[in-house]
Amino acid sequence: MEWEIYCVTLLRGLDPADVLRRFGARTSTEMSFAELDLAVSDFTMVTGGGEGGGHVGVVATGDGCAAVEPCGWSGSDDLTLARLSAGTDVVSVLRHDYACDYFHYAADGIVVTAFDPTSPEHRSGADTDRLAGLMREFGLPLEEGSDEEWDQRYDDLSEHGLARMFAMAARLTGVTFAADLLSGPLLVGAIADLPREDLQRETP
């Protein structure tokens, strides 16, 4: 994907229609990725880009789904993750060209662990050590080092952190994201920001 910002959310055991409903989409349309890209371009032109891409495309793969938001970040929002992860495991990987990338792991409606891949020693969530072993396995160190070590680590993680996050996401959800998933049709819906009072009603 060529957008400066995008979010990919991997979800275990759900189908595309259910994923769109959890994102708040009221209707769905089958589109190619090129058509989704055009819809996002139109949305960002009208809104100025401050509201994200306005759309999410979902494709079934393996034992779950991958949800793709060009120019979007809704899948990295805690309230959205609570809806998406009800009764299952969800990982969102946010790529942000001029801010920071981010990884969120949520399960059963709770954000368990979240971190910036260039600073994996600084984590947030309900259980910041839940993924400690997995993070070390995938080359995301948890201990702070010297200034020289930090510089070397930052260079490494800036180049490889995104790939490591996707590898961790596949391990946690059983869903692998690959570029060829975007070559087929996606089920696309407009993302809705649901009011807080609607969360309980909208969450399965």
Side-chain angles (χ1 to χ4, degrees), residues 3-202:
W3 287 90
E4 293 179 328
I5 303 169
Y6 63 80
C7 186
V8 175
T9 306
L10 304 182
L11 310 98
R12 183 196 299 274
L14 300 178
D15 61 50
D18 192 15
V19 173
L20 284 183
R21 182 174 63 82
R22 294 184 184 208
F23 266 104
R26 307 304 185 190
T27 60
S28 61
T29 305
E30 193 170 277
M31 295 184 182
S32 67
F33 183 75
E35 290 169 328
L36 168 61
D37 202 43
L38 182 59
V40 169
S41 294
D42 290 344
F43 182 86
T44 57
M45 185 175 297
V46 170
T47 61
E51 299 178 31
H55 299 76
V56 58
V58 187
V59 59
T61 177
D63 294 327
C65 287
V68 181
E69 298 174 69
C71 197
W73 51 82
S74 181
S76 65
D77 174 77
D78 284 359
L79 291 175
T80 304
L81 282 166
R83 294 199 306 273
L84 292 174
S85 66
T88 191
D89 295 316
V90 170
V91 173
S92 77
V93 175
L94 174 67
R95 189 263 188 183
H96 202 305
D97 190 50
Y98 53 90
C100 60
D101 299 340
Y102 230 85
F103 177 101
H104 287 79
Y105 167 58
D108 294 323
I110 296 172
V111 177
V112 178
T113 303
F115 60 88
D116 173 347
T118 62
S119 302
E121 68 274 21
H122 302 298
R123 301 177 300 286
S124 60
D127 186 353
T128 56
D129 290 330
R130 174 86 65 88
L131 305 183
L134 194 61
M135 291 175 70
R136 289 191 180 96
E137 178 183 341
F138 282 96
L140 295 161
L142 308 184
E143 300 78 16
E144 295 191 27
S146 65
D147 289 345
E148 181 179 352
E149 289 170 334
W150 189 92
D151 288 340
Q152 293 174 346
R153 175 188 299 182
Y154 183 84
D155 290 342
D156 173 51
L157 294 177
S158 294
E159 182 176 357
H160 303 295
L162 191 64
R164 293 173 188 174
M165 289 194 295
F166 275 114
M168 277 187 59
R171 178 77 66 84
L172 287 165
T173 63
V175 179
T176 300
F177 179 74
D180 61 3
L181 287 177
L182 303 180
S183 63
L186 298 92
L187 196 63
V188 175
I191 295 172
D193 293 322
L194 302 180
R196 288 176 182 268
E197 58 267 24
D198 288 346
L199 290 178
Q200 185 63 41
R201 183 166 64 250
E202 292 290 340

